[in-house]
Amino acid sequence: MSFFSFGQSADVDVVLNDAETRKKAEHKTEDGKKDKYFLFYDGETVSGKVNVTLKNPGKRLEHQGIKIEFVGQIELYYDRGNHHEFVSLVKDLARPGEITQSQTFDFDFTHVEKPYESYTGQNVKLRYFLRATVIRRLNDISKEVDIVVHTLSTYPELNSSIKMEVGIEDCLHIEFEYNKSKYHLKDVIVGKIYFLLVRIKIKHMEIDIIKRETTGTGPSVYHENDTIAKYEIMDGAPVRGESIPIRLFLAGYDLTPTMRDINKKFSVRYYLNLVLIDDEERRYFKQQEITLWRKGDVLRKSMSHQAAIASQRFEGSAASQSALEQAAREESG
C-alpha cells in the first residue's frame, strides 16, 4: 500500500475526438529530433475525452476535483523557472468527491484562439498543450499532451522585388536582384547577379539563408544566428558584364515563418546573405532581410473561399483559379 495514494491510484489519458482523421505535423523537439503531433490552426475547436482508469478496481479514489487545461506558453531557456502563458483555459470535469470505477469525461474548448505558431529554437520554446489533472491532497495525477499550431497567412498584393548594389571602390561593383521580398515556405527564390566591375579575383560565390533568433529585452538580449542553407552560385572567376541566374528552392530546408516580437518575448527573422570569396580568402558579403510565411497546404472549408481569392491575386495562376472554383463549390455545398 502506498502511503501517498492510500492504496489507490489511476492512469490519466487524453484522447482527441478527431484523432483518427486529424492531420499530424512534424515538429522539432529540444534535443533536435522530430516528432509528429496533431496539427491545429487558430480558431479551431479542441475537443476530446479524458479517461481516468483506476489501477486497483474496486477501491475508491478520493480527489479534490478533476480538470483539463488548454495552455499556450513561452519558455525562455535562460529563465526556465518562469513559463509565460499567453493562453490559459480551464474546464472543470468533476467536483471534489470519489471515483469507484474508471470514468471518461468529455471536454470541449470551442474556437480556441491560438495566435502564434509553435516553435522550438536555440533559446526559446513556444508550445501548446492539454493538461488533465486529478487533484489530490498530496500528489496530483496529471497528463500532458502537446499539439502543434501552424499560422497561415495570405500575403498582400504588394511584394516588391529586392535590388541592391555591393562594391569596393574601383575594385568591385555588383548588382543583385531577387524577384520578391516575401516568400512562402515552399517557394522558389529567383534572382540575378550582375558583375559591372571586377578587378579582384573572385573564386567562389554563394547565397546563405540565415535564421536570426532574438530573445529577451533590454540588457538581456540574446542573438543566435544559424545558417540554414548554403547555395553555391559560382565556382570560378566572373568577368565584367556577366550575369548569373539564381534559383533557390526553399521546400527542402527546415524553415519557419518570420516571427516578429512574439508576445514581447522573442523574434525569428531570415536573411539572404550574399558571400564572395577572393583568391586571398577575403570575404565580402551583403545581407538582406526577407519575410517567410506559411501557405495552407489544403484550403479548409471555413477559410477556403477567402484564402483562394488571396492566392489567386498573389499568383494569378490557373492553379489558383481552380482552387477558387473548388472553394466556391465547398461553400455552396
Side-chain angles (χ1 to χ4, degrees), residues 87-98:
V87 175
S88 181
L89 304 173
V90 184
K91 299 271 187 186
D92 289 320
L93 303 176
R95 294 178 177 179
E98 59 183 44

Side-chain angles (χ1 to χ4, degrees), residues 17-244:
N17 281 341
D18 55 358
E20 291 185 2
T21 56
R22 180 163 289 277
K23 184 179 175 182
K24 288 189 173 184
E26 280 194 344
H27 189 72
K28 192 168 67 173
T29 57
E30 276 188 59
D31 57 9
K33 295 178 183 175
K34 284 194 172 182
D35 285 334
K36 286 196 169 183
Y37 301 91
F38 288 110
L39 174 63
F40 284 84
Y41 298 95
D42 183 26
E44 280 194 305
T45 293
V46 182
S47 63
K49 293 175 173 56
V50 174
N51 299 319
V52 179
T53 307
L54 298 183
K55 289 186 176 178
N56 299 308
K59 290 187 178 179
R60 62 186 183 144
L61 175 72
E62 293 185 4
H63 63 85
Q64 306 302 307
I66 301 172
K67 66 178 180 178
I68 186 161
E69 301 163 86
F70 181 85
V71 180
Q73 73 178 22
I74 296 170
E75 180 183 339
L76 298 165
Y77 296 162
Y78 59 81
D79 186 21
R80 284 201 181 256
N82 290 320
H83 294 157
H84 307 278
E85 294 186 356
F86 54 88
V87 175
S88 181
L89 304 173
V90 184
K91 299 271 187 186
D92 289 320
L93 303 176
R95 294 178 177 179
E98 59 183 44
I99 297 176
T100 55
Q101 60 185 13
S102 299
Q103 276 186 255
T104 295
F105 303 89
D106 293 320
F107 69 87
D108 189 313
F109 293 103
T110 307
H111 304 312
V112 187
E113 183 185 8
K114 310 174 202 73
Y116 310 123
E117 174 135 348
S118 299
Y119 177 74
T120 302
Q122 303 271 9
N123 289 319
V124 63
K125 176 167 67 177
L126 188 152
R127 64 185 281 242
Y128 295 86
F129 59 94
L130 291 159
R131 178 168 55 213
T133 308
V134 178
I135 305 165
R136 309 189 67 197
R137 288 190 187 277
L138 294 173
N139 59 328
D140 292 346
I141 306 167
S142 67
K143 173 69 178 284
E144 288 186 1
V145 174
D146 279 76
I147 65 167
V148 162
V149 170
H150 283 174
T151 55
L152 302 181
S153 302
T154 51
Y155 247 88
E157 297 161 27
L158 286 175
N159 195 354
S160 54
S161 61
I162 298 171
K163 293 182 181 180
M164 295 188 70
E165 295 186 10
V166 58
I168 304 162
E169 192 174 354
D170 296 330
C171 294
L172 182 69
H173 187 186
I174 297 172
E175 283 183 357
F176 59 94
E177 181 178 353
Y178 304 118
N179 60 329
K180 48 192 177 183
S181 53
K182 301 179 178 80
Y183 298 89
H184 63 76
L185 298 183
K186 304 224 172 128
D187 218 335
V188 183
I189 295 174
V190 178
K192 273 192 175 182
I193 296 175
Y194 305 93
F195 291 89
L196 304 177
L197 178 65
V198 185
R199 288 183 179 161
I200 55 176
K201 290 186 178 178
I202 304 293
K203 69 170 189 177
H204 181 78
M205 183 160 65
E206 67 185 29
I207 283 186
D208 304 337
I209 299 176
I210 294 173
K211 180 175 84 170
R212 179 171 300 156
E213 177 187 292
T214 304
T215 51
T217 54
S220 305
V221 173
Y222 297 85
H223 298 288
E224 286 284 350
N225 286 346
D226 188 12
T227 301
I228 303 294
K230 284 180 179 286
Y231 173 77
E232 184 179 343
I233 299 170
M234 181 196 70
D235 191 11
V239 295
R240 180 179 174 180
E242 191 172 0
S243 73
I244 297 175

